Amino acid sequence: MYDILARPVYDSLLDVNIQNPLNLEHPLAQGLIGFWLPLPSLSGGLKLYDLSLYSRHGTLTNMDPATAWTTIQNTPAIYLDGVDESIYVGKTGINWSQSNPFTIFVVAAAAGDPPTGYGTLVNAHSVAAAETIVYLIASSSTGRLHLWKHSEASLPTTWKDGNLHSFSVSHPAGANNGQDLLYYDGRPLAVSSGGHYGWTRTNDDMRIGSAVTTAHEWYGWIAAVMIYNRVLTASEHQLCWDLVRSGFPALLNRRPRFWPVVSEQAIPKMVPWHLFQQVSA
């Protein structure tokens, strides 16, 4: 199922302790309230596991597991066709109101312009209303990174090159238009309000790779989605990007290794002890 050259990221994700996946002592585990990662050890089905402590697992919708689970640039990922495929998370309990801080961090690769005009990475609400938060990449020649109805920024022309990139936003508590912090590959972008405005909705259905039900689907690969209930610093945005490319070696726990403790009585004696003493003498 996976590219044999998927190293070292594949190796580091193959051995994750799914019973206790998150290293809570790592700084990037602080405030992490959603962490969707296509683990090789759990691939092949319709569930995309949330590795945070909240277990908000996603369900692959209108997707064939045989083609959805794949790799891109040696990194496990979910492929979406840009037509009607998405990952449904449902009601998360996350308070997305404008007065609360949060960060959305996504690693994805675009296969090209999505047929529906926009490609949605994360949508936090189930209604297509003015207060909807959607996290979009537009299909224009340069591309726009949106925290929809609030802030936007121009992306480099290379964002649709088929390679993995990180797209992330931090929203400070109570921020107004143009005050959100948007990042591309861990680097901050200049933000303009674009005439958008804030939101007040909370706890609607969340989707990965689609806006509302089947609208503005992402066309390409999604390798990681991380959501925080705090604002990440610029260096933390860069660190998240670095962790993805290395397979999260410090943020994820490995399965424990058990070495048997063998007593002398349990060791098979291939040669009788008295014969061994005679030979030794």
Side-chain angles (χ1 to χ4, degrees), residues 36-245:
W36 294 270
L37 195 65
L39 286 176
S41 56
L42 298 174
S43 66
L46 293 175
K47 181 178 287 186
L48 178 62
Y49 281 86
D50 173 14
L51 302 186
S52 75
L53 297 179
Y54 295 86
S55 300
R56 301 180 175 106
H57 307 312
T59 301
L60 277 61
T61 305
N62 298 325
M63 303 175 74
D64 180 0
T67 56
W69 296 87
T70 183
T71 60
I72 177 71
Q73 287 188 281
N74 298 337
T75 303
I78 297 290
Y79 176 78
L80 299 99
D81 65 2
V83 178
D84 63 353
E85 297 179 347
S86 63
I87 301 164
Y88 176 73
V89 178
K91 296 188 183 303
T92 61
I94 298 174
N95 188 339
W96 295 99
S97 68
Q98 188 177 344
S99 60
N100 288 291
F102 64 82
T103 294
I104 303 173
F105 179 91
V106 184
V107 173
D113 286 334
T116 54
Y118 289 89
T120 302
L121 290 169
V122 171
N123 177 40
H125 288 306
S126 59
V127 294
E131 295 174 339
T132 300
I133 302 174
V134 273
Y135 184 43
L136 295 173
I137 301 299
S139 61
S140 63
S141 59
T142 57
R144 302 287 285 179
L145 175 61
H146 296 257
L147 179 60
W148 195 242
K149 301 300 181 186
H150 207 231
S151 297
E152 60 181 18
S154 296
L155 286 168
T157 56
T158 57
W159 74 272
K160 292 181 291 186
D161 58 5
N163 295 319
L164 285 173
H165 296 284
S166 69
F167 307 92
S168 52
V169 56
S170 277
H171 168 72
N176 294 316
N177 293 345
Q179 294 179 328
D180 295 300
L181 311 172
L182 304 182
Y183 295 82
Y184 173 74
D185 286 352
R187 298 186 296 272
L189 298 171
V191 176
S192 63
S193 66
H196 303 324
Y197 42 89
W199 57 86
T200 58
R201 299 187 65 87
T202 61
N203 198 29
D204 276 353
D205 288 350
M206 175 181 162
R207 286 175 174 81
I208 296 171
S210 174
V212 181
T213 309
T214 54
H216 304 320
E217 286 83 2
W218 181 253
Y219 179 36
W221 300 263
I222 294 181
V225 176
M226 305 169 75
I227 295 178
Y228 288 86
N229 61 5
R230 64 183 181 90
V231 172
L232 296 187
T233 65
S235 60
E236 286 178 321
H237 280 268
Q238 181 64 55
L239 181 55
C240 281
W241 176 222
D242 293 339
L243 281 174
V244 171
R245 291 181 295 178

